[in-house]
Amino acid sequence: MRILPVLHFYSMLEFLQRPVVVTADVNLNVVALTLLGLLSRLWQLTYPRAVVFDEVYYGQYISFYMKRVFFLDGSGPPFGHMLLALGGYLGGFDGNFLWNRIGAEYSSNVPVWSLRLLPALAGALSVPMAYQIVWELRFSHCAAMGAALLMLIENALITQSRLMLLESVLIFFNLLAVLSYLKFSNSQKHRPFSLSWWFWLTLTGVACSCAVGIKYMGVFTYLLVLGVAAVHTWHLIGDRTLSHVGANGECGAAGRWGAEVGGAGAFGGRAGGQPRASRPVGAAAWTQPPLPRQVRVLCHVLARVLALVGVPVAMYLLFFYVHLMLLYRSGPHDQIMSSAFQASLEGGLARVTQGQPLEVAYGSQVTLKNAFGKPVPCWLHSHQSTYPMIYENGRGSSHQQQVTCYPFKDVNNWWIVKDPGRHRLEVSSPPRPVRHGDVVQLVHGMTSRFLNTHDVAAPLSPHSQEVSCYVDYNISMPAQNLWRLDIVNRDADTDVWKTILSEVRLVHLNTSAVLKVSGAHLPDWGFRQLEVVGEKVSRGHHESAVWTVEEHRYGKSQEQKERELELHSPTQMDISRNLSFMARFSELQWRMLTVRTDDSEHKYSSTPLDWVTLDTNIAYWLHPRTSAQIHLLGNVVIWASAGLATVLYALLFFWYLLRRRRNICDLPEDCWLRWVLAGALCVGGWAVNYLPFFLMDKTLFLYHYLPALTFQILLLPVVLQHVGDYLCRSQVQSGLFSALVVAWYAAACHVFNALRPLTYGNRSLSPSELRALRWKDSWDILIRKH
């Protein structure tokens, strides 16, 4: 029973008696490629010291981070912005720079090198990563070097990675996700559940979450990796030859200890070259028996679910948690968010609402904001003006006081919540809270008229009812001003109406119409404010029919004059309201997905069809005095070859697949599986990063194609090696093909060198030299007219 501690003690003594030796395998190819990548991306990184193209877009968000000001960007999650801001933080940037013009010179307080460093490092490290991916796919060193060297001299990738932009960072994490999964998959064959196995599996999930956290397009690479992992797991579940090292090598450290110290394999055979009979005495007492196959398979599946689903979800939430923790101050995008979200920020609405009563009571003075800000954020509003007697289309109105939704704060936005059974307009002591299902009247604070709706057509929405503040004209049109409170997000039917937190609908008691913003702008007689209507419940639930109390005070005055003064004064009570992280995350994520961006046509916008053939370019920067300029322009040899390689792979794949269907195997089984995996990752990576753009209704640019191009570049040397190994039938053909490959790469290097002045922008070219570089009529090369 005491054998195990004794063995531990002797093992420790033996460990202390031996010198500690660390050995490392260094791949000099990877080292050399890393140095070349750093040289190509970091050389003269601060040039030009001016705002280049989309740096004007990302720079403003970096300034917001430096000043801790909240912002909303619908282009993607916040992780990419935070990485760029990290560069600014490390460089000591204070955020004080006006990002309003492309070409503006950076002031001395802007650390240009630091801001551009992380994208440049990501672009540089993508070069050796391409080498490692092709090597992990079990292709030759020559093919792996070819992929890395193509990444090294691709002009568009260099240009994009040398600026304060996010595409190079997205490409880095895309490649890291693929590389990590390949290393995990290869370690699965030899040492499942080892430390390296867990490391690469977890890193796969982390890299996928980082790709998604930079841009939403990263989700397609994540789904690709997830799909490949699902296929491998499916085969693993059906694999009855799954090794029985589960007890000693999987699902527990005790089993690994038994295998390593005892030296026995799972079946009692050889492990590490030591026969079963030579195990130490007592080893059988602590070596665990093999686990059942079902348990081992379950361990494999759960490990993959944890690392490839659980870790990305946790990381994604972490990005938003850090984002919201950093941006705690009110900013220019607050109005897009709900009142509750705005009140959680320092300054802005939080300063206005600080100290407000939490529970709405009879006699409360409130402002009602449409909860979801659709079509625009606005407040329930009224004023002295009435609806015109006759509209332009000849229809008549009630000629009562207008009720609108006004997108600005105003004293006419205040309303008083009144108990229909009492005449009091101030809060009693103690306050009587309003609950879900209660019937209330809403009295306009400045005019003392009641919110009313009736069977009269709305001015611009004739199928809905007009909403007004009731004016008694002594005609047969009685007041209909009773409203039932419906708390949409209630937990129980006895919930109290709460400031900011409660989302409510106001249902008209007589007609069952719901108070709603139609979204239409009234004519000049309505001061271009938004129309408010009463819409029947049967017409469905609308987000524009939900309201929240934003500003709130307990009314203390019954007299009109005193009440008007009260409406202009702030409250003094102190009740805090802090939204939970999940509530803020859910709202921010929803706003990011639904916010409308400016998709107006741009001079350099293009279509996905223009990208494959490189029929477009983008002029990023032009020197203010010389003809030096930077363009996003790809290496035409690489782009054309990558497209042809994709087509050739598809043709060969379907040809082999058709012949295998007839039991004709042109490739050995291991070569076929390697060929299929390379296609799944490289062609699949190109497809998932390219084809979705055909479905997107947004302004597109050439740089959107770069992640897809990267996967094509990985495929190119794979196809070349396959042609050389399996399609060249003789030594002469192989030699000729090798010579053609060398000539082709020399042509790619020549194109890189020819376009280098437009890639780095460090040399002024004459008009004739610029015209000579305009290899396609669709390229917009800027030539100054002197």
Side-chain angles (χ1 to χ4, degrees), residues 371-392:
F372 297 98
K374 292 188 176 182
V376 294
C378 61
W379 291 263
L380 189 65
H381 176 94
S382 187
H383 38 243
Q384 291 282 358
S385 301
T386 59
Y387 291 111
M389 190 74 74
I390 303 295
Y391 297 127
E392 291 85 346

Side-chain angles (χ1 to χ4, degrees), residues 534-554:
E535 188 162 285
K536 297 291 186 179
V537 178
S538 59
R539 299 178 70 88
H541 171 68
H542 297 273
E543 290 181 339
S544 54
V546 180
W547 305 83
T548 57
V549 171
E550 185 173 89
E551 297 179 68
H552 176 212
R553 61 168 59 87
Y554 280 164

Side-chain angles (χ1 to χ4, degrees), residues 8 32 83 133 141 182 196 208 329 339 344 346 349 364 405 476 535 544 576 590 603 614 626 650 671 772 776-778:
H8 274 296
L83 285 179
I133 288 174
H141 278 289
L182 287 173
S196 63
C208 287
R329 291 176 180 157
S339 300
S344 68
E346 181 181 295
L349 182 62
S364 287
C405 204
S476 57
E535 188 162 285
S544 54
S576 61
W590 177 250
K603 178 181 178 181
L614 200 57
T626 70
C671 295
K776 289 192 174 187
D777 294 336
S778 57

Side-chain angles (χ1 to χ4, degrees), residues 396-440:
S397 77
S398 65
H399 195 49
Q400 296 198 358
Q401 183 172 302
Q402 296 175 15
V403 172
T404 64
C405 204
Y406 190 48
F408 303 99
K409 293 184 181 296
D410 188 85
V411 70
N412 281 313
N413 297 345
W414 284 94
W415 299 81
I416 302 170
V417 181
K418 180 182 175 297
D419 183 352
R422 302 190 181 189
H423 294 291
R424 298 172 61 98
L425 292 178
E426 74 272 15
V427 176
S428 60
S429 181
R432 295 171 50 233
V434 183
R435 301 181 183 275
H436 169 75
D438 285 355
V439 176
V440 300

Side-chain angles (χ1 to χ4, degrees), residues 350-615:
R351 183 167 35 198
V352 175
T353 60
Q354 184 178 7
Q356 291 186 156
L358 177 63
E359 296 183 347
V360 177
Y362 291 106
S364 287
Q365 299 168 358
V366 300
T367 62
L368 291 166
K369 181 183 178 184
N370 63 330
F372 297 98
K374 292 188 176 182
V376 294
C378 61
W379 291 263
L380 189 65
H381 176 94
S382 187
H383 38 243
Q384 291 282 358
S385 301
T386 59
Y387 291 111
M389 190 74 74
I390 303 295
Y391 297 127
E392 291 85 346
N393 57 9
R395 290 191 298 109
S397 77
S398 65
H399 195 49
Q400 296 198 358
Q401 183 172 302
Q402 296 175 15
V403 172
T404 64
C405 204
Y406 190 48
F408 303 99
K409 293 184 181 296
D410 188 85
V411 70
N412 281 313
N413 297 345
W414 284 94
W415 299 81
I416 302 170
V417 181
K418 180 182 175 297
D419 183 352
R422 302 190 181 189
H423 294 291
R424 298 172 61 98
L425 292 178
E426 74 272 15
V427 176
S428 60
S429 181
R432 295 171 50 233
V434 183
R435 301 181 183 275
H436 169 75
D438 285 355
V439 176
V440 300
Q441 293 173 314
L442 291 178
V443 182
H444 187 240
M446 297 302 293
T447 63
S448 297
R449 287 177 174 153
F450 289 73
L451 184 70
N452 183 85
T453 187
H454 42 209
D455 193 15
V456 175
L460 303 181
S461 307
H463 297 292
S464 300
Q465 294 179 181
E466 175 192 85
V467 175
S468 62
C469 277
Y470 182 74
V471 181
D472 189 0
Y473 290 120
N474 291 321
I475 59 176
S476 57
M477 187 180 288
Q480 300 182 42
N481 50 32
L482 298 179
W483 301 85
R484 187 181 73 252
L485 184 74
D486 179 14
I487 302 178
V488 177
N489 61 337
R490 65 186 181 277
D491 293 324
D493 287 343
T494 57
D495 273 11
V496 174
W497 188 5
K498 294 179 181 177
T499 306
I500 291 178
L501 302 180
S502 294
E503 298 172 358
V504 304
R505 294 193 310 163
L506 292 167
V507 183
H508 190 238
L509 203 63
N510 298 72
T511 63
S512 298
V514 177
L515 191 71
K516 174 181 177 290
V517 183
S518 71
H521 287 269
L522 295 170
D524 291 340
W525 55 257
F527 310 101
R528 311 301 299 177
Q529 296 174 16
L530 279 82
E531 180 190 40
V532 173
V533 300
E535 188 162 285
K536 297 291 186 179
V537 178
S538 59
R539 299 178 70 88
H541 171 68
H542 297 273
E543 290 181 339
S544 54
V546 180
W547 305 83
T548 57
V549 171
E550 185 173 89
E551 297 179 68
H552 176 212
R553 61 168 59 87
Y554 280 164
K556 300 177 182 178
S557 305
Q558 180 70 16
E559 297 298 323
Q560 175 67 17
K561 292 291 184 183
E562 296 177 2
R563 193 164 58 246
E564 288 182 10
L565 292 174
E566 191 177 358
L567 291 173
H568 287 89
S569 64
T571 60
Q572 300 298 324
M573 298 184 65
D574 188 13
I575 298 177
S576 61
R577 289 174 297 277
N578 292 321
L579 280 182
S580 66
F581 162 69
M582 287 306 299
R584 299 175 74 201
F585 162 74
S586 301
E587 179 178 347
L588 178 57
Q589 180 66 89
W590 177 250
R591 297 292 185 191
M592 291 172 66
L593 293 173
T594 57
V595 67
R596 292 183 179 180
T597 56
D598 183 15
D599 290 331
S600 57
E601 198 67 25
H602 191 280
K603 178 181 178 181
Y604 291 108
S605 62
S606 52
T607 67
L609 291 176
D610 297 328
W611 304 340
V612 178
T613 54
L614 200 57
D615 284 335

Side-chain angles (χ1 to χ4, degrees), residues 196-268:
S196 63
W197 185 92
W198 275 110
F199 172 78
W200 291 116
L201 178 60
T202 306
L203 186 59
T204 303
V206 171
C208 287
S209 62
C210 291
V212 177
I214 290 170
K215 286 197 171 186
Y216 289 126
M217 280 302 299
V219 76
F220 295 111
T221 301
Y222 172 47
L223 292 176
L224 173 69
V225 173
L226 207 60
V228 173
V231 172
H232 286 173
T233 305
W234 181 256
H235 289 304
L236 185 72
I237 292 174
D239 184 7
R240 294 193 170 275
T241 65
L242 187 66
S243 173
H244 280 66
V245 298
N248 299 329
E250 306 173 13
C251 298
R256 285 195 299 275
W257 171 261
E260 293 164 4
V261 178
F267 294 99

Side-chain angles (χ1 to χ4, degrees), residues 318-339:
L318 179 63
F319 298 150
F320 278 88
Y321 181 82
V322 175
H323 174 74
L324 292 171
M325 182 178 65
L326 292 174
L327 306 183
Y328 58 85
R329 291 176 180 157
S330 175
H333 298 164
D334 290 9
Q335 294 297 322
I336 303 175
M337 310 305 293
S338 69
S339 300

